[in-house]
Amino acid sequence: MESDTIECVSSIDEIVEDHEIPHHNLLHHPHPRHAPHHQFSSSKPHHNGTNNVNSISNIVGPTAIAPAASVHELLECPVCTNSMYPPIHQCHNGHTLCSTCKIRVHNRCPTCRQELGDIRCLALEKVAESLELPCKYYKLGCPETFPYYSKLKHEGICIYRPYNCPYAGSECSVVGDIPFLVAHLRDDHKVDMHTGCTFNHRYVKSNPREVENATWMLTVFHCFGQYFCLHFEAFQLGMAPVYMAFIRFMGDETEARNYSYSLEVGANGRKLIWESAPRSIRDSHRKVRDSHDGLIIQRNMALFFSGGDRKELKLRVTGRIWKEQQNPDANMCIPN
């Protein structure tokens, strides 16, 4: 869902602008451009020398562990390039691959094309048990070192692992840290960026009964030294169209719990209010939406709020973000 312009205003000088909400087909939204000068880019490999997240899979830490690193290369599946875990299979010529890829290659060795059979490479499995390696996000700041078979579990929850792009308008494969993703949203997705923790938006849609193509919009707010994503969209819930707004925190779940937000929509003496902690962008946009964790406005209520002849949607959504703390001034919005 897009808008003509979006104005984030303080509670002192409220300026309200109308925003026309067009339709967008999420499956045909163009993919963003990938700026080669950033630290991270698409999860697809590049061949121009640009650093990308694929490179972190080969991070093995300082040179002091080079012997272990060379052994670690032996434990890399030649098909998927991921680390192999038991059962590790081999062909009659000694070529190895992981159990998942054994099925994918239809039981044929990808190196020599011989039939694989059910031969286990027990020696390599034993070698793996003796290894201790750093987290593959070592160069992103993780200081931890783990036994080989514990490393994979840690990497799935490592707080230094890159984030997925929070943009909901396309299947964007870009990953990176928060500063990179903020620049990516601004430059590649042309998302509106605002400083401040209060907002007052008025959304206008000429035909509110048409939601066959999901409508969406995204605004990024910078306050309290953090970044937040405000989503507003229409989608089909059962047989009826609904409108939904929610906020996600650009950071981990533990940090997200330090903040709260409220959203309010209403008119004609009625109002709906939603108050919650923001979800982390570790949770996908679809996961948050499908869990209905946000302000949901049924179409009939939205049209009632719009007034007039009920043929045009006009919703005023206001909200604020605050930090949870004991300080009585905690709810003050300090521009960054």
Side-chain angles (χ1 to χ4, degrees):
M1 180 176 296
E2 292 180 342
S3 59
D4 293 336
T5 55
I6 302 172
E7 184 69 20
C8 174
V9 298
S10 69
S11 57
I12 298 176
D13 295 312
E14 290 196 350
I15 303 172
V16 182
E17 296 187 6
D18 288 353
H19 313 290
E20 178 66 27
I21 304 173
H23 288 233
H24 291 268
N25 190 324
L26 302 193
L27 297 177
H28 296 89
H29 193 284
H31 283 259
R33 302 183 311 274
H34 303 300
H37 61 277
H38 291 310
Q39 180 183 1
F40 298 106
S41 59
S42 168
S43 60
K44 297 178 181 179
H46 294 266
H47 303 288
N48 57 1
T50 303
N51 290 336
N52 58 66
V53 174
N54 278 343
S55 65
I56 61 179
S57 63
N58 297 321
I59 296 170
V60 294
T63 55
I65 59 171
S70 60
V71 175
H72 182 236
E73 291 177 359
L74 296 177
L75 288 161
E76 186 177 274
C77 175
V79 178
C80 65
T81 70
N82 293 323
S83 297
M84 294 186 290
Y85 292 84
I88 298 175
H89 296 274
Q90 70 174 35
C91 72
H92 291 282
N93 292 323
H95 304 125
T96 58
L97 80 165
C98 70
S99 57
T100 301
C101 290
K102 180 176 184 287
I103 300 173
R104 292 170 58 189
V105 299
H106 306 292
N107 209 36
R108 288 281 178 182
C109 175
T111 303
C112 65
R113 307 306 300 166
Q114 295 294 314
E115 186 174 350
L116 287 168
D118 293 312
I119 305 173
R120 290 272 294 275
C121 187
L122 299 179
L124 199 55
E125 292 179 9
K126 285 290 185 182
V127 168
E129 290 179 1
S130 67
L131 291 180
E132 285 200 3
L133 296 171
C135 170
K136 72 176 181 179
Y137 304 122
Y138 174 85
K139 288 188 177 179
L140 302 183
C142 183
E144 303 292 339
T145 301
F146 298 90
Y148 184 81
Y149 291 126
S150 301
K151 190 170 81 79
L152 185 66
K153 181 178 179 180
H154 160 79
E155 289 169 352
I157 60 173
C158 178
I159 63 173
Y160 295 94
R161 71 191 190 279
Y163 295 88
N164 295 318
C165 173
Y167 190 72
S170 65
E171 297 297 326
C172 183
S173 60
V174 171
V175 298
D177 59 15
I178 299 302
F180 166 75
L181 288 181
V182 169
H184 165 67
L185 289 169
R186 181 191 64 231
D187 299 337
D188 297 328
H189 292 298
K190 308 304 180 184
V191 168
D192 288 320
M193 316 291 291
H194 294 280
T195 298
C197 61
T198 61
F199 48 90
N200 186 342
H201 294 171
R202 192 165 182 256
Y203 302 105
V204 179
K205 190 174 188 300
S206 57
N207 190 349
R209 296 181 181 276
E210 295 181 359
V211 291
E212 289 83 1
N213 298 321
T215 52
W216 51 265
M217 68 172 298
L218 174 65
T219 308
V220 173
F221 293 95
H222 184 212
C223 58
F224 304 110
Q226 306 289 344
Y227 290 92
F228 301 82
C229 296
L230 170 63
H231 297 267
F232 184 87
E233 65 179 81
F235 62 96
Q236 200 82 15
L237 183 59
M239 298 298 294
V242 297
Y243 298 90
M244 184 175 180
F246 57 90
I247 287 179
R248 288 196 292 165
F249 174 74
M250 295 188 70
D252 273 326
E253 298 92 334
T254 52
E255 294 180 272
R257 299 189 193 106
N258 296 325
Y259 301 90
S260 294
Y261 74 94
S262 65
L263 297 172
E264 180 178 314
V265 61
N268 301 322
R270 310 288 194 277
K271 69 171 61 175
L272 294 175
I273 299 175
W274 173 264
E275 186 173 304
S276 173
R279 296 278 285 272
S280 165
I281 60 172
R282 294 287 190 204
D283 290 334
S284 70
H285 159 269
R286 183 176 295 275
K287 180 179 180 179
V288 179
R289 189 195 73 180
D290 291 350
S291 66
H292 304 162
D293 193 1
L295 177 66
I296 295 180
I297 312 158
Q298 301 291 337
R299 183 179 64 185
N300 287 340
M301 183 60 72
L303 292 174
F304 176 77
F305 289 155
S306 300
D309 56 9
R310 297 168 63 89
K311 293 182 179 180
E312 186 177 46
L313 179 77
K314 295 180 180 178
L315 285 179
R316 184 193 303 273
V317 179
T318 62
R320 69 186 181 99
I321 304 167
W322 66 91
K323 188 172 185 179
E324 295 287 357
Q325 58 187 33
Q326 298 301 317
N327 189 324
D329 297 329
N331 290 351
M332 293 179 61
C333 176
I334 304 173
N336 294 280

